[in-house]
Amino acid sequence: MPDAGALWPTRYLTGGQLVVLRTPRTPQPPGVPAPGWVQLRDAAVRQDWLDRIGQEWLRLPPIQQLVLAALLFFLTFGIGLLVPLAGVAVHRARRERRPMVAPAAPLSLSPEASLGAWDTTEARVAAAAGRAWAETVREPAWHSPFLARSRAAFDGQAEVDQIVDLALRIRQARVSLGVRPAGAAAEYWDRQLAALETAARQLGRRADALIRYRDQAALLSAELRTLGDLERLERTAAEIDGLTIETSAALPRGDGGIGTVADEIAGVRMAMTELVDLMTRTRAPLAEPPDSVRYGS
């Protein structure tokens, strides 16, 4: 079945690699702390120097152990004898625990990681579904009141988990199918492989639905941002209109009396100008000699 128009072929890589997401497991509650004497015993068992003292003590012949025990008892009043006894106890505790420690198991990938490493159609579908839902939850529109009913009615993570489970079953069927046999069974193997591929592509429709839901949520987020900008600009425009009206209104003494002072200054300047003109006209004849002197009469 062709996947023309499918969204998941180009929407399955996360950070350049195939990542299959699933609901994380609920963390286990912390255990009850061990009693104090158990913690003290475990701390003593972890001391290597006590283990070495215990090993050396047990290597000694019994007669030497007896002599050293007597010396430690009389010289230290029995306190020094506690050290080799504690070393023997630590050494025996370690020897008893050693067979119980299982060899370290090799690290194994989780089913989701194994599915992502396979990189088949069902793996790309599962990765696309997980990425689409993760991006949907990060959209601001998903947390807005407009999608409250959708959040209550639709569990996207449960849908992703179902897609991942089906993808894991398809992968397991591919593993069970094995390599293509020779002979007459090859045709039957081809039909089974084609059926698995068809099932994986049909599963891709559910991933496409999640991707389209994510795209619609992204568009709604953009519209909400635009609406927020328009509301902010509308509030600013109302404030600007109010400032325009207040600054253009002819209120009494709206200038704080500055206009009256300016008029007074202008009147004084005009009076001074007239006085200077009068003085100039009055002093003008004195600036020149009398006519008798001028004409020699």
Side-chain angles (χ1 to χ4, degrees), residues 22-60:
R22 186 198 287 264
T23 304
R25 294 183 176 87
T26 304
Q28 297 294 331
V32 179
W37 68 271
V38 175
Q39 298 180 10
L40 180 61
R41 182 198 61 187
D42 294 339
V45 170
R46 289 193 295 267
Q47 301 300 320
D48 294 334
W49 64 275
L50 281 176
D51 185 23
R52 288 194 296 268
I53 290 176
Q55 292 180 21
E56 297 298 332
W57 182 269
L58 292 176
R59 290 196 183 102
L60 295 175

Side-chain angles (χ1 to χ4, degrees), residues 127-201:
R131 174 183 171 182
W133 183 246
E135 292 176 349
T136 300
V137 175
R138 288 197 296 265
E139 286 294 335
W142 174 251
H143 305 281
S144 67
F146 299 97
L147 295 181
R149 294 181 58 184
S150 181
R151 289 195 301 271
F154 178 65
D155 190 351
Q157 189 58 59
E159 176 70 10
V160 173
D161 292 343
Q162 292 180 7
I163 292 175
V164 173
D165 289 336
L166 290 172
L168 288 171
R169 292 174 58 186
I170 294 174
R171 175 185 178 273
Q172 185 59 40
R174 287 185 188 271
V175 174
S176 301
L177 194 59
V179 297
R180 188 175 187 271
E187 183 179 354
Y188 183 75
W189 186 91
D190 291 339
R191 289 199 302 268
Q192 296 299 318
L193 181 63
L196 286 176
E197 190 66 23
T198 300
R201 293 186 181 278

Side-chain angles (χ1 to χ4, degrees), residues 58-288:
L58 292 176
R59 290 196 183 102
L60 295 175
I63 187 62
Q64 293 185 8
Q65 293 180 2
L66 182 60
V67 172
L68 287 177
L71 291 174
L72 290 174
F73 180 80
F74 289 108
L75 293 178
T76 62
F77 302 98
I79 299 177
L81 188 58
L82 297 177
V83 176
L85 293 179
V88 172
V90 169
H91 177 69
R92 288 177 177 175
R94 286 190 173 186
R95 188 172 56 185
E96 292 175 358
R97 289 186 178 186
R98 196 169 296 123
M100 299 173 58
V101 178
L107 296 177
S108 59
L109 296 176
S110 65
E112 293 81 6
S114 300
L115 178 62
W118 194 281
D119 195 14
T120 54
T121 300
E122 61 271 14
R124 292 191 289 271
V125 167
R131 174 183 171 182
W133 183 246
E135 292 176 349
T136 300
V137 175
R138 288 197 296 265
E139 286 294 335
W142 174 251
H143 305 281
S144 67
F146 299 97
L147 295 181
R149 294 181 58 184
S150 181
R151 289 195 301 271
F154 178 65
D155 190 351
Q157 189 58 59
E159 176 70 10
V160 173
D161 292 343
Q162 292 180 7
I163 292 175
V164 173
D165 289 336
L166 290 172
L168 288 171
R169 292 174 58 186
I170 294 174
R171 175 185 178 273
Q172 185 59 40
R174 287 185 188 271
V175 174
S176 301
L177 194 59
V179 297
R180 188 175 187 271
E187 183 179 354
Y188 183 75
W189 186 91
D190 291 339
R191 289 199 302 268
Q192 296 299 318
L193 181 63
L196 286 176
E197 190 66 23
T198 300
R201 293 186 181 278
Q202 289 176 350
L203 185 63
R205 296 179 181 177
R206 300 175 66 172
D208 286 341
L210 287 174
I211 293 173
R212 290 188 174 91
Y213 191 88
R214 183 268 169 195
D215 293 342
Q216 293 298 322
L219 292 176
L220 180 58
S221 296
E223 294 295 334
L224 291 177
R225 284 192 294 270
T226 302
L227 180 61
D229 292 339
L230 290 176
E231 291 178 349
R232 177 178 54 81
L233 292 176
E234 184 178 0
R235 291 192 298 268
T236 305
E239 184 177 356
I240 293 174
D241 292 342
L243 291 173
T244 303
I245 294 174
E246 291 181 6
T247 54
S248 61
L251 298 177
R253 299 186 61 86
D255 55 359
I258 296 179
T260 303
V261 175
D263 294 340
E264 292 178 357
I265 294 175
V268 172
R269 289 184 61 190
M270 184 178 297
M272 292 297 295
T273 302
E274 293 177 355
L275 180 60
V276 170
D277 291 341
L278 178 61
M279 293 178 64
T280 302
R281 289 193 301 269
T282 303
R283 292 171 57 89
L286 299 179
E288 297 180 359

